[in-house]
Amino acid sequence: MSSDRLHDSGDAQRPPRASGAHSRTSPLRVVILGVITLVLISLFVSLGTWQLQRRAWKLDLIERVNSRVHAPPSAAPARAQWADVNAEKDEYRHVSLTGTYQFDKDTLVQAVTDLGGGYWVLTPLRTAEGGEVLVNRGFVPPGWKESVPPAPAGEVTVTGLLRMPEPVGGFLRKNAPAENLWYSRDVVAIAAARGLNASDVAPYFVDADGKPGANAGTNAITNDAEAMTSKVQSQDRDYPVGGLTVVQFPNNHMSYLLTWYALAIMSAVAGWFVIRLELRKRGE
């Protein structure tokens, strides 16, 4: 009798089995974990693939722009072609144009270059067909004043890089035309401030090459700060100093795509580990 009581007492003291609870909840939990894992893997793989595509696009862009920059200058888009000018096919083309500078309509736009802080000098160039093209003649330091009368005078031929307007301002500051304060090369706003007819102004501007002789630096793609500094130091400071355009395209897409793919792998491993652990618990 005592043995039966002891046996019954032992049964009463045992905790209830949890297998029923596991069987009810584990399948749903495993499914949810599997779905989350697949979603994360798909998301990270998609982001990595997008960066792979962006990298291919960026390398193609650098190659195309590099070929434009170093090509012999061709005629800048004429007035009849202005409507077709766009950044994708035209920006950084090496172009040439002929006309007469309107020095009384100079505009100084704040700039920071390897020569220090100062200004870009933008001057309208009136072409033979009657159009106006803003030309960035180059960099000048604060307090600079051009000799009077300015040189060169009369008709000139300018070579340089075709650039698209910068209407959003720069240096975290907006242009203030009423105060003659300029932080970006906004062609439309500058033309209006200088009293030019909007329909007569080209929808681009030109960054002029350096002047012949010791000042003959040409605009170029470079990621080599030492090479750029050497080029600048060779200038004879015959202001404005042209040819200072630095064409740089950040290309961090490889590191980004490796990061996204690594996260996809980590998600797969973590999901497999958690699901396997859950299945083990269910089988206990």
Side-chain angles (χ1 to χ4, degrees):
M1 179 68 69
S2 60
S3 175
D4 291 339
R5 289 177 181 172
L6 181 60
H7 178 73
D8 294 340
S9 175
D11 288 341
Q13 292 176 2
R14 288 178 186 170
R17 289 187 179 181
S19 58
H22 280 298
S23 64
R24 290 194 302 270
T25 60
S26 291
L28 179 59
R29 194 177 305 165
V30 169
V31 170
I32 292 175
L33 289 172
V35 170
I36 293 174
T37 300
L38 290 176
V39 168
L40 289 176
I41 292 173
S42 300
L43 174 63
F44 293 141
V45 168
S46 298
L47 290 171
T49 302
W50 176 63
Q51 287 296 331
L52 184 63
Q53 295 168 347
R54 290 283 296 173
R55 180 175 183 271
W57 169 81
K58 183 64 68 67
L59 292 175
D60 179 66
L61 174 65
I62 291 173
E63 183 178 355
R64 284 188 286 112
V65 171
N66 195 32
S67 65
R68 294 175 192 173
V69 169
H70 296 293
S74 58
R79 190 167 188 162
Q81 302 169 308
W82 286 356
D84 298 324
V85 173
N86 61 64
E88 183 177 357
K89 69 180 181 65
D90 294 305
E91 188 157 32
Y92 298 111
R93 277 179 51 197
H94 200 194
V95 299
S96 66
L97 62 164
T98 300
T100 304
Y101 277 126
Q102 300 184 62
F103 293 106
D104 60 326
K105 296 182 180 355
D106 278 349
T107 299
L108 300 183
V109 180
Q110 187 173 354
V112 177
T113 73
D114 285 333
L115 293 179
Y119 302 93
W120 298 123
V121 183
L122 268 67
T123 307
L125 185 77
R126 189 166 188 81
T127 64
E129 60 181 359
E132 309 276 357
V133 179
L134 286 183
V135 175
N136 174 17
R137 294 194 286 134
F139 171 83
V140 296
W144 168 86
K145 287 189 176 181
E146 195 163 23
S147 58
V148 180
E155 190 174 77
V156 296
T157 296
V158 179
T159 63
L161 299 183
L162 186 151
R163 302 292 308 279
M164 301 306 293
E166 302 165 343
V168 295
F171 302 100
L172 302 179
R173 305 183 70 176
K174 293 183 178 180
N175 294 324
E179 302 172 38
N180 200 29
L181 296 176
W182 302 93
Y183 304 99
S184 71
R185 292 164 289 191
D186 184 342
V187 169
V188 174
I190 291 174
R194 296 297 172 260
L196 301 176
N197 190 328
S199 62
D200 293 334
V201 180
Y204 60 85
F205 65 93
V206 173
D207 275 347
D209 289 336
K211 298 173 185 176
N215 218 22
T218 56
N219 298 301
I221 290 181
T222 177
N223 288 313
D224 188 341
E226 183 177 349
M228 186 64 190
T229 301
S230 175
K231 184 184 94 169
V232 170
Q233 289 175 347
S234 71
Q235 309 286 354
D236 63 4
R237 304 300 187 273
D238 181 13
Y239 295 111
V241 177
L244 296 182
T245 305
V246 179
V247 187
Q248 289 183 310
F249 297 99
N251 187 9
N252 301 316
H253 300 293
M254 177 61 77
S255 62
Y256 293 152
L257 73 88
L258 290 176
T259 298
W260 291 125
Y261 284 149
L263 287 172
I265 294 172
M266 292 170 61
S267 298
V269 172
W272 173 83
F273 178 79
V274 173
I275 292 172
R276 183 166 174 266
L277 182 62
E278 187 64 29
L279 291 174
R280 276 187 177 179
K281 288 181 179 179
R282 183 168 180 249
E284 291 178 355

